[in-house]
Amino acid sequence: MSRATRVIARCTALDRFSASPEHLERVYLSREHAAANAQVAAWMREAGMRTWVDAAGNQYGRVEGREPGLPALLLGSHLDTVPDAGSYDGMLGVLMAIEVVEELGSRIADLPFAVEVVGFSDEEGTRFGKALLGSSAAAGRWDTSWWELTDGTGSTLAEAFTAFGLDPGGVGEAQRRPEELVGYLEAHIEQGPYLEAADRSLGDVTTIAGARRFLLQVTGEARHAGGTPYPRRRDALVGASEAITLIEATARASECVATVGQITVQPGGVNVIPGRADFSLDLRAATDAERDAMWEELDSKIAALCAARGLGYAVTETHRAPAMVCAPWLRACIVEGIAAAGDTEPMELWSRAGHDGMVMGTVTDVAMLFLRCFDGISHHPGEDVREIDVERGLVAFKAAVLAVAERS
Ligand SMILES: [Zn+2]
Protein backbone atom coordinates (compact mmCIF):
# COMPACT_ATOMS: atom_id res chain seq x y z
CA MET A 1 0.00 0.00 0.00
CA SER A 2 1.37 3.43 -0.90
CA ARG A 3 1.63 6.00 1.85
CA ALA A 4 -1.11 8.09 0.27
CA THR A 5 -3.37 5.04 0.04
CA ARG A 6 -2.76 4.35 3.69
CA VAL A 7 -3.56 7.93 4.73
CA ILE A 8 -6.82 7.83 2.74
CA ALA A 9 -7.72 4.40 4.16
CA ARG A 10 -7.14 5.67 7.69
CA CYS A 11 -9.30 8.74 7.10
CA THR A 12 -12.19 6.53 6.02
CA ALA A 13 -11.46 4.00 8.80
CA LEU A 14 -12.23 6.78 11.31
CA ASP A 15 -15.76 7.04 9.81
CA ARG A 16 -16.82 4.16 12.06
CA PHE A 17 -16.43 6.37 15.13
CA SER A 18 -19.69 8.14 14.47
CA ALA A 19 -22.84 9.01 16.43
CA SER A 20 -24.88 7.44 13.63
CA PRO A 21 -24.35 4.33 11.49
CA GLU A 22 -25.93 6.14 8.50
CA HIS A 23 -23.76 9.21 8.43
CA LEU A 24 -20.57 10.59 9.96
CA GLU A 25 -20.96 12.83 12.98
CA ARG A 26 -18.22 12.98 15.61
CA VAL A 27 -18.59 15.77 18.12
CA TYR A 28 -16.61 17.08 21.05
CA LEU A 29 -16.41 14.96 24.23
CA SER A 30 -18.55 12.13 22.79
CA ARG A 31 -17.81 8.41 22.99
CA GLU A 32 -16.83 8.59 19.31
CA HIS A 33 -14.36 11.35 20.13
CA ALA A 34 -12.70 9.10 22.75
CA ALA A 35 -12.65 6.14 20.36
CA ALA A 36 -11.17 8.17 17.50
CA ASN A 37 -8.51 9.56 19.84
CA ALA A 38 -7.60 6.00 20.89
CA GLN A 39 -7.30 4.84 17.28
CA VAL A 40 -5.23 7.87 16.26
CA ALA A 41 -3.01 7.41 19.34
CA ALA A 42 -2.37 3.78 18.29
CA TRP A 43 -1.26 4.99 14.83
CA MET A 44 0.91 7.65 16.48
CA ARG A 45 2.63 5.00 18.59
CA GLU A 46 3.17 2.83 15.49
CA ALA A 47 4.95 5.85 14.01
CA GLY A 48 7.24 6.00 17.05
CA MET A 49 5.50 8.71 19.05
CA ARG A 50 4.82 9.05 22.74
CA THR A 51 1.12 9.92 23.12
CA TRP A 52 -1.22 11.68 25.52
CA VAL A 53 -4.62 13.36 25.67
CA ASP A 54 -4.44 16.88 27.04
CA ALA A 55 -6.75 18.56 29.55
CA ALA A 56 -9.18 19.59 26.76
CA GLY A 57 -9.40 16.22 24.98
CA ASN A 58 -6.85 17.04 22.25
CA GLN A 59 -4.84 13.98 21.15
CA TYR A 60 -1.07 14.48 20.97
CA GLY A 61 1.94 12.46 19.87
CA ARG A 62 5.59 13.51 20.18
CA VAL A 63 9.02 12.46 18.99
CA GLU A 64 12.07 14.11 20.53
CA GLY A 65 14.63 15.97 18.42
CA ARG A 66 18.37 15.91 18.85
CA GLU A 67 17.96 16.34 22.59
CA PRO A 68 14.99 15.74 24.85
CA GLY A 69 12.68 18.60 25.78
CA LEU A 70 13.32 20.89 22.79
CA PRO A 71 10.51 23.18 21.56
CA ALA A 72 8.24 21.35 19.13
CA LEU A 73 7.20 21.90 15.56
CA LEU A 74 3.50 21.14 15.84
CA LEU A 75 1.76 19.44 12.90
CA GLY A 76 -1.92 18.63 12.85
CA SER A 77 -5.55 19.45 12.35
CA HIS A 78 -8.85 18.36 13.95
CA LEU A 79 -10.69 15.05 14.45
CA ASP A 80 -14.24 16.32 15.07
CA THR A 81 -16.82 16.75 12.32
CA VAL A 82 -19.96 18.57 11.29
CA PRO A 83 -23.21 16.53 11.06
CA ASP A 84 -23.31 14.32 7.93
CA ALA A 85 -19.65 15.05 7.31
CA GLY A 86 -17.07 13.86 4.81
CA SER A 87 -14.04 11.81 5.82
CA TYR A 88 -11.28 14.35 5.15
CA ASP A 89 -12.02 17.75 6.68
CA GLY A 90 -9.55 17.77 9.57
CA MET A 91 -8.71 14.07 9.66
CA LEU A 92 -6.58 14.27 6.53
CA GLY A 93 -4.24 16.80 8.13
CA VAL A 94 -3.78 14.68 11.26
CA LEU A 95 -3.13 11.45 9.36
CA MET A 96 -0.78 13.12 6.88
CA ALA A 97 1.19 14.48 9.83
CA ILE A 98 1.49 11.00 11.37
CA GLU A 99 2.61 9.61 8.00
CA VAL A 100 5.28 12.31 7.70
CA VAL A 101 6.57 11.48 11.19
CA GLU A 102 6.71 7.80 10.29
CA GLU A 103 8.53 8.57 7.04
CA LEU A 104 11.04 10.86 8.75
CA GLY A 105 11.66 8.11 11.31
CA SER A 106 15.08 8.29 12.91
CA ARG A 107 15.89 11.55 11.07
CA ILE A 108 13.80 13.39 13.68
CA ALA A 109 16.50 12.59 16.24
CA ASP A 110 18.83 14.89 14.24
CA LEU A 111 16.40 17.82 14.07
CA PRO A 112 16.86 20.98 16.15
CA PHE A 113 13.31 20.61 17.48
CA ALA A 114 10.87 17.92 18.59
CA VAL A 115 8.02 17.00 16.25
CA GLU A 116 4.51 16.80 17.67
CA VAL A 117 1.27 15.84 15.99
CA VAL A 118 -2.03 17.08 17.36
CA GLY A 119 -5.58 15.98 16.63
CA PHE A 120 -7.64 18.91 17.90
CA SER A 121 -10.81 17.86 19.67
CA ASP A 122 -13.23 20.53 18.53
CA GLU A 123 -12.82 22.78 15.54
CA GLU A 124 -16.32 22.73 14.08
CA GLY A 125 -18.30 23.68 17.18
CA THR A 126 -21.04 21.20 16.22
CA ARG A 127 -22.01 20.18 19.77
CA PHE A 128 -21.89 23.43 21.74
CA GLY A 129 -22.30 25.97 18.94
CA LYS A 130 -18.88 27.44 19.67
CA ALA A 131 -16.06 26.58 17.26
CA LEU A 132 -12.33 26.07 17.94
CA LEU A 133 -12.73 24.88 21.55
CA GLY A 134 -9.84 22.38 21.37
CA SER A 135 -7.30 24.78 19.90
CA SER A 136 -8.55 27.63 22.11
CA ALA A 137 -7.60 25.53 25.15
CA ALA A 138 -4.19 24.82 23.58
CA ALA A 139 -3.70 28.52 22.90
CA GLY A 140 -4.65 29.46 26.47
CA ARG A 141 -7.68 31.38 25.24
CA TRP A 142 -10.35 29.47 27.12
CA ASP A 143 -13.22 31.67 28.24
CA THR A 144 -14.84 30.62 31.51
CA SER A 145 -18.25 31.76 30.24
CA TRP A 146 -18.10 28.76 27.85
CA TRP A 147 -18.73 26.31 30.72
CA GLU A 148 -22.39 27.29 30.59
CA LEU A 149 -22.78 26.49 26.88
CA THR A 150 -25.28 23.65 26.41
CA ASP A 151 -25.65 20.96 23.77
CA GLY A 152 -28.92 19.79 22.16
CA THR A 153 -29.76 17.64 25.19
CA GLY A 154 -29.20 20.41 27.75
CA SER A 155 -25.82 19.14 29.03
CA THR A 156 -23.41 21.93 29.80
CA LEU A 157 -19.85 21.97 28.53
CA ALA A 158 -18.69 21.56 32.13
CA GLU A 159 -20.83 18.42 32.54
CA ALA A 160 -19.57 17.02 29.24
CA PHE A 161 -15.97 17.55 30.41
CA THR A 162 -16.63 15.54 33.55
CA ALA A 163 -18.48 12.78 31.66
CA PHE A 164 -15.48 12.48 29.32
CA GLY A 165 -13.18 12.05 32.32
CA LEU A 166 -11.68 15.54 32.16
CA ASP A 167 -11.52 18.07 34.98
CA PRO A 168 -13.00 21.47 34.03
CA GLY A 169 -10.79 23.09 36.65
CA GLY A 170 -7.71 21.69 34.90
CA VAL A 171 -8.37 23.01 31.39
CA GLY A 172 -5.57 25.55 31.82
CA GLU A 173 -3.08 22.67 31.69
CA ALA A 174 -3.85 22.28 27.98
CA GLN A 175 -2.22 25.66 27.33
CA ARG A 176 0.88 25.65 25.12
CA ARG A 177 3.37 28.43 25.66
CA PRO A 178 5.15 30.25 22.84
CA GLU A 179 8.56 29.05 24.07
CA GLU A 180 7.44 25.39 23.77
CA LEU A 181 6.65 25.74 20.07
CA VAL A 182 8.62 26.37 16.89
CA GLY A 183 5.46 26.80 14.81
CA TYR A 184 2.27 25.12 13.68
CA LEU A 185 1.83 23.58 10.23
CA GLU A 186 -1.52 22.29 9.08
CA ALA A 187 -2.45 20.39 5.94
CA HIS A 188 -6.15 20.63 5.06
CA ILE A 189 -8.43 20.11 2.11
CA GLU A 190 -9.17 23.42 0.44
CA GLN A 191 -12.98 23.16 0.92
CA GLY A 192 -13.40 25.24 -2.20
CA PRO A 193 -12.90 24.96 -5.97
CA TYR A 194 -9.92 27.24 -6.65
CA LEU A 195 -7.12 24.65 -6.78
CA GLU A 196 -9.22 22.36 -8.92
CA ALA A 197 -10.07 25.19 -11.31
CA ALA A 198 -6.35 25.97 -11.61
CA ASP A 199 -5.51 22.27 -12.04
CA ARG A 200 -3.18 22.30 -9.03
CA SER A 201 -2.74 19.66 -6.35
CA LEU A 202 -1.46 21.94 -3.60
CA GLY A 203 -1.72 25.52 -2.47
CA ASP A 204 0.10 27.93 -0.17
CA VAL A 205 -2.29 29.68 2.23
CA THR A 206 -1.70 33.42 2.67
CA THR A 207 -4.26 34.23 5.37
CA ILE A 208 -7.13 32.59 7.18
CA ALA A 209 -10.12 34.88 6.92
CA GLY A 210 -11.63 36.21 10.09
CA ALA A 211 -15.37 36.57 9.77
CA ARG A 212 -17.57 39.39 11.04
CA ARG A 213 -21.17 38.50 11.68
CA PHE A 214 -24.09 40.85 12.13
CA LEU A 215 -27.76 40.75 12.89
CA LEU A 216 -29.56 43.34 10.80
CA GLN A 217 -32.98 44.53 11.78
CA VAL A 218 -35.33 46.30 9.40
CA THR A 219 -38.53 47.74 10.88
CA GLY A 220 -41.60 48.97 9.08
CA GLU A 221 -45.24 48.77 9.95
CA ALA A 222 -47.51 45.71 10.04
CA ARG A 223 -50.84 46.49 8.37
CA HIS A 224 -53.63 44.77 6.48
CA ALA A 225 -52.38 43.14 3.27
CA GLY A 226 -55.52 44.05 1.40
CA GLY A 227 -56.46 47.41 2.75
CA THR A 228 -53.12 49.21 2.65
CA PRO A 229 -52.25 50.91 -0.67
CA TYR A 230 -48.60 50.88 -1.79
CA PRO A 231 -47.86 54.50 -1.01
CA ARG A 232 -48.89 53.80 2.61
CA ARG A 233 -46.86 50.63 3.02
CA ARG A 234 -43.64 50.32 4.97
CA ASP A 235 -42.85 46.67 4.22
CA ALA A 236 -39.85 45.47 6.25
CA LEU A 237 -39.42 42.27 4.26
CA VAL A 238 -39.28 44.02 0.90
CA GLY A 239 -36.65 46.36 2.37
CA ALA A 240 -34.68 43.40 3.73
CA SER A 241 -34.94 41.63 0.35
CA GLU A 242 -33.54 44.65 -1.41
CA ALA A 243 -30.74 44.77 1.16
CA ILE A 244 -29.93 41.08 0.61
CA THR A 245 -29.67 41.38 -3.17
CA LEU A 246 -27.56 44.50 -2.68
CA ILE A 247 -25.25 42.56 -0.34
CA GLU A 248 -24.79 39.85 -2.94
CA ALA A 249 -24.19 42.26 -5.81
CA THR A 250 -21.70 44.33 -3.83
CA ALA A 251 -19.75 41.30 -2.60
CA ARG A 252 -19.73 39.71 -6.07
CA ALA A 253 -18.02 42.79 -7.44
CA SER A 254 -15.29 42.47 -4.78
CA GLU A 255 -12.88 39.88 -3.37
CA CYS A 256 -15.11 39.42 -0.31
CA VAL A 257 -17.78 36.84 0.39
CA ALA A 258 -21.01 37.82 2.11
CA THR A 259 -23.80 35.45 3.06
CA VAL A 260 -27.24 35.94 4.52
CA GLY A 261 -28.09 32.57 6.04
CA GLN A 262 -31.05 33.32 8.33
CA ILE A 263 -34.10 35.52 8.15
CA THR A 264 -37.17 35.85 10.34
CA VAL A 265 -40.21 37.96 9.60
CA GLN A 266 -42.78 39.34 12.01
CA PRO A 267 -45.65 39.08 12.55
CA GLY A 268 -45.47 36.35 9.88
CA GLY A 269 -49.11 36.31 8.77
CA VAL A 270 -49.98 35.55 5.12
CA ASN A 271 -52.34 38.52 5.08
CA VAL A 272 -50.19 40.97 7.04
CA ILE A 273 -47.54 43.33 5.66
CA PRO A 274 -44.28 42.40 7.40
CA GLY A 275 -43.55 44.88 10.16
CA ARG A 276 -40.11 43.61 10.96
CA ALA A 277 -37.39 41.47 9.32
CA ASP A 278 -34.24 40.29 11.09
CA PHE A 279 -31.47 38.68 9.08
CA SER A 280 -27.91 37.52 9.59
CA LEU A 281 -24.84 38.53 7.64
CA ASP A 282 -21.53 36.63 7.52
CA LEU A 283 -18.71 38.62 5.94
CA ARG A 284 -15.23 37.34 5.04
CA ALA A 285 -12.18 38.59 3.17
CA ALA A 286 -8.47 37.90 2.89
CA THR A 287 -7.68 40.80 5.18
CA ASP A 288 -9.49 42.62 7.95
CA ALA A 289 -9.09 45.90 6.08
CA GLU A 290 -10.92 44.61 2.97
CA ARG A 291 -13.60 43.02 5.10
CA ASP A 292 -14.16 46.14 7.19
CA ALA A 293 -14.25 48.37 4.10
CA MET A 294 -16.88 46.08 2.60
CA TRP A 295 -18.96 46.34 5.77
CA GLU A 296 -18.76 50.15 5.78
CA GLU A 297 -19.99 50.20 2.19
CA LEU A 298 -22.83 47.73 2.83
CA ASP A 299 -23.90 49.43 6.03
CA SER A 300 -24.25 52.86 4.42
CA LYS A 301 -26.01 51.52 1.30
CA ILE A 302 -28.50 49.52 3.40
CA ALA A 303 -29.13 52.50 5.67
CA ALA A 304 -29.84 54.61 2.57
CA LEU A 305 -32.23 52.14 0.99
CA CYS A 306 -34.11 51.69 4.27
CA ALA A 307 -34.39 55.46 4.69
CA ALA A 308 -35.75 55.76 1.14
CA ARG A 309 -38.49 53.28 2.04
CA GLY A 310 -39.27 54.89 5.39
CA LEU A 311 -37.96 51.86 7.23
CA GLY A 312 -35.99 51.70 10.46
CA TYR A 313 -32.59 50.01 10.37
CA ALA A 314 -30.45 48.75 13.25
CA VAL A 315 -27.38 46.50 13.44
CA THR A 316 -25.86 44.29 16.14
CA GLU A 317 -22.43 42.79 15.61
CA THR A 318 -22.54 39.20 16.91
CA HIS A 319 -19.04 37.93 16.09
CA ARG A 320 -15.69 39.31 15.04
CA ALA A 321 -12.46 37.38 14.56
CA PRO A 322 -9.31 38.87 13.08
CA ALA A 323 -7.83 37.31 9.96
CA MET A 324 -4.72 35.25 10.71
CA VAL A 325 -1.79 36.12 8.50
CA CYS A 326 0.41 33.07 7.85
CA ALA A 327 4.03 33.62 8.92
CA PRO A 328 6.21 34.50 5.88
CA TRP A 329 9.12 32.27 7.00
CA LEU A 330 6.84 29.25 7.51
CA ARG A 331 5.07 29.95 4.22
CA ALA A 332 8.50 29.88 2.57
CA CYS A 333 8.92 26.37 4.01
CA ILE A 334 5.52 25.34 2.61
CA VAL A 335 6.48 26.80 -0.79
CA GLU A 336 9.77 24.87 -0.69
CA GLY A 337 7.77 21.76 0.19
CA ILE A 338 5.36 22.22 -2.72
CA ALA A 339 8.34 22.76 -5.02
CA ALA A 340 9.76 19.42 -3.83
CA ALA A 341 6.45 17.91 -4.94
CA GLY A 342 6.97 19.31 -8.44
CA ASP A 343 5.20 22.69 -8.47
CA THR A 344 7.83 25.42 -8.36
CA GLU A 345 5.35 28.30 -8.52
CA PRO A 346 2.62 27.28 -6.13
CA MET A 347 -0.76 28.91 -6.16
CA GLU A 348 -1.39 31.27 -3.27
CA LEU A 349 -4.87 31.40 -1.81
CA TRP A 350 -6.61 32.68 1.27
CA SER A 351 -8.72 30.41 3.37
CA ARG A 352 -12.35 31.42 3.30
CA ALA A 353 -13.04 28.82 6.01
CA GLY A 354 -11.89 29.02 9.62
CA HIS A 355 -9.18 26.70 10.96
CA ASP A 356 -7.43 25.83 14.22
CA GLY A 357 -4.49 27.88 12.94
CA MET A 358 -6.53 31.06 13.58
CA VAL A 359 -6.24 30.41 17.30
CA MET A 360 -2.80 28.77 17.26
CA GLY A 361 -1.56 31.91 15.52
CA THR A 362 -1.94 33.72 18.84
CA VAL A 363 0.81 31.58 20.43
CA THR A 364 3.08 30.58 17.57
CA ASP A 365 3.78 31.10 13.86
CA VAL A 366 1.37 29.31 11.56
CA ALA A 367 1.30 28.19 7.92
CA MET A 368 -1.05 25.93 5.99
CA LEU A 369 -0.83 23.56 3.04
CA PHE A 370 -4.07 23.20 1.08
CA LEU A 371 -4.90 20.10 -0.93
CA ARG A 372 -7.30 20.14 -3.85
CA CYS A 373 -10.62 18.58 -2.98
CA PHE A 374 -12.95 16.97 -5.47
CA ASP A 375 -15.40 19.49 -6.98
CA GLY A 376 -14.65 21.84 -4.08
CA ILE A 377 -17.12 19.86 -1.94
CA SER A 378 -16.74 19.88 1.86
CA HIS A 379 -18.96 19.57 4.94
CA HIS A 380 -20.76 16.92 2.89
CA PRO A 381 -20.39 13.12 2.62
CA GLY A 382 -19.29 13.61 -1.00
CA GLU A 383 -16.02 15.18 0.21
CA ASP A 384 -13.14 13.47 -1.60
CA VAL A 385 -9.43 13.75 -2.34
CA ARG A 386 -7.31 12.36 -5.13
CA GLU A 387 -4.56 9.91 -4.24
CA ILE A 388 -2.05 11.82 -6.36
CA ASP A 389 -2.75 15.00 -4.39
CA VAL A 390 -2.25 13.23 -1.05
CA GLU A 391 0.98 11.72 -2.41
CA ARG A 392 2.24 15.15 -3.45
CA GLY A 393 0.95 16.59 -0.18
CA LEU A 394 3.03 14.11 1.81
CA VAL A 395 6.14 14.95 -0.20
CA ALA A 396 5.49 18.66 0.35
CA PHE A 397 4.67 18.35 4.04
CA LYS A 398 7.79 16.34 4.78
CA ALA A 399 9.99 18.71 2.78
CA ALA A 400 8.40 21.64 4.62
CA VAL A 401 9.35 20.10 7.98
CA LEU A 402 12.94 19.71 6.78
CA ALA A 403 12.88 23.29 5.48
CA VAL A 404 11.85 24.46 8.96
CA ALA A 405 14.85 22.57 10.35
CA GLU A 406 17.17 24.42 7.96
CA ARG A 407 15.77 27.74 9.15
CA SER A 408 15.82 26.90 12.86
ZN1 LIG B 1 -11.50 21.52 9.04
Side-chain angles (χ1 to χ4, degrees):
M1 197 189 313
S2 81
R3 292 189 176 271
T5 315
R6 180 160 81 167
V7 165
I8 291 168
R10 284 177 168 180
C11 287
T12 54
L14 288 176
D15 289 355
R16 70 180 186 276
F17 305 120
S18 172
S20 156
E22 276 88 43
H23 68 264
L24 173 58
E25 178 173 338
R26 187 167 50 246
V27 302
Y28 191 32
L29 305 173
S30 60
R31 280 161 59 173
E32 304 79 55
H33 169 195
N37 272 2
Q39 175 61 77
V40 168
W43 289 329
M44 286 172 164
R45 286 191 291 270
E46 266 178 46
M49 283 180 265
R50 173 171 70 79
T51 64
W52 69 97
V53 175
D54 78 1
N58 299 308
Q59 177 64 54
Y60 279 93
R62 177 178 169 109
V63 184
E64 298 298 335
R66 66 184 169 216
E67 57 185 88
L70 288 172
L73 177 63
L74 189 57
L75 315 175
S77 190
H78 60 96
L79 294 171
D80 68 310
T81 75
V82 295
D84 203 10
S87 309
Y88 301 98
D89 172 5
M91 287 65 79
L92 181 69
V94 179
L95 295 166
M96 281 178 60
I98 295 172
E99 200 64 44
V100 164
V101 167
E102 179 142 3
E103 201 173 329
L104 285 169
S106 60
R107 291 180 74 180
I108 296 176
D110 298 326
L111 298 181
F113 45 74
V115 177
E116 288 187 17
V117 175
V118 61
F120 285 118
S121 53
D122 178 89
E123 192 269 353
E124 304 286 4
T126 306
R127 181 167 178 187
F128 293 99
K130 170 82 195 142
L132 302 167
L133 290 174
S135 43
S136 292
R141 295 176 76 85
W142 194 269
D143 185 326
T144 50
S145 71
W146 297 345
W147 292 122
E148 300 307 316
L149 294 171
T150 51
D151 68 7
T153 70
S155 294
T156 65
L157 178 54
E159 286 161 358
F161 250 63
T162 310
F164 194 78
L166 296 170
D167 170 16
V171 72
E173 288 163 30
Q175 182 177 355
R176 305 304 304 265
R177 302 189 186 279
E179 58 274 20
E180 298 171 11
L181 298 171
V182 172
Y184 173 68
L185 291 182
E186 176 167 349
H188 202 286
I189 55 168
E190 182 204 333
Q191 305 183 282
Y194 295 96
L195 285 170
E196 188 166 74
D199 197 22
R200 307 282 190 122
S201 292
L202 306 172
D204 158 38
V205 178
T206 54
T207 68
I208 306 172
R212 278 179 84 177
R213 297 195 183 116
F214 303 90
L215 197 60
L216 288 77
Q217 185 187 93
V218 176
T219 46
E221 189 181 27
R223 281 192 179 223
H224 197 288
T228 316
Y230 279 109
R232 299 285 298 273
R233 291 184 181 219
R234 292 196 294 127
D235 186 324
L237 180 56
V238 175
S241 307
E242 205 178 318
I244 293 166
T245 50
L246 177 135
I247 288 167
E248 196 218 9
T250 311
R252 264 180 190 265
S254 77
E255 298 289 312
C256 304
V257 278
T259 305
V260 175
Q262 293 176 330
I263 183 162
T264 56
V265 176
Q266 292 175 28
V270 291
N271 55 356
V272 184
I273 295 164
R276 178 171 157 179
D278 295 272
F279 59 100
S280 62
L281 172 62
D282 175 293
L283 199 56
R284 304 174 193 224
T287 66
D288 292 346
E290 287 170 79
R291 182 198 61 188
D292 296 346
M294 170 61 51
W295 168 243
E296 297 297 323
E297 181 179 350
L298 291 174
D299 187 38
S300 67
K301 283 182 172 171
I302 295 168
L305 80 83
C306 285
R309 286 180 167 273
L311 299 167
Y313 167 61
V315 181
T316 313
E317 183 162 6
T318 53
H319 170 84
R320 184 202 294 234
M324 214 286 303
V325 179
C326 293
W329 78 276
L330 270 184
R331 277 185 59 201
C333 298
I334 292 282
V335 167
E336 211 174 304
I338 298 174
D343 182 356
T344 51
E345 277 176 53
M347 182 169 172
E348 294 181 352
L349 65 175
W350 59 279
S351 176
R352 278 86 174 159
H355 293 288
D356 292 299
M358 295 169 78
V359 187
M360 293 312 291
T362 63
V363 264
T364 192
D365 290 338
V366 169
M368 290 188 76
L369 172 70
F370 267 0
L371 282 81
R372 167 167 60 181
C373 67
F374 177 74
D375 200 23
I377 299 173
S378 183
H379 285 189
H380 184 277
E383 198 173 82
D384 208 356
V385 287
R386 292 166 179 78
E387 194 175 325
I388 182 70
D389 296 344
V390 176
E391 214 164 282
R392 288 173 180 157
L394 288 167
V395 170
F397 211 29
K398 179 181 152 193
V401 170
L402 295 173
V404 173
E406 272 168 35
R407 287 167 173 79
S408 298

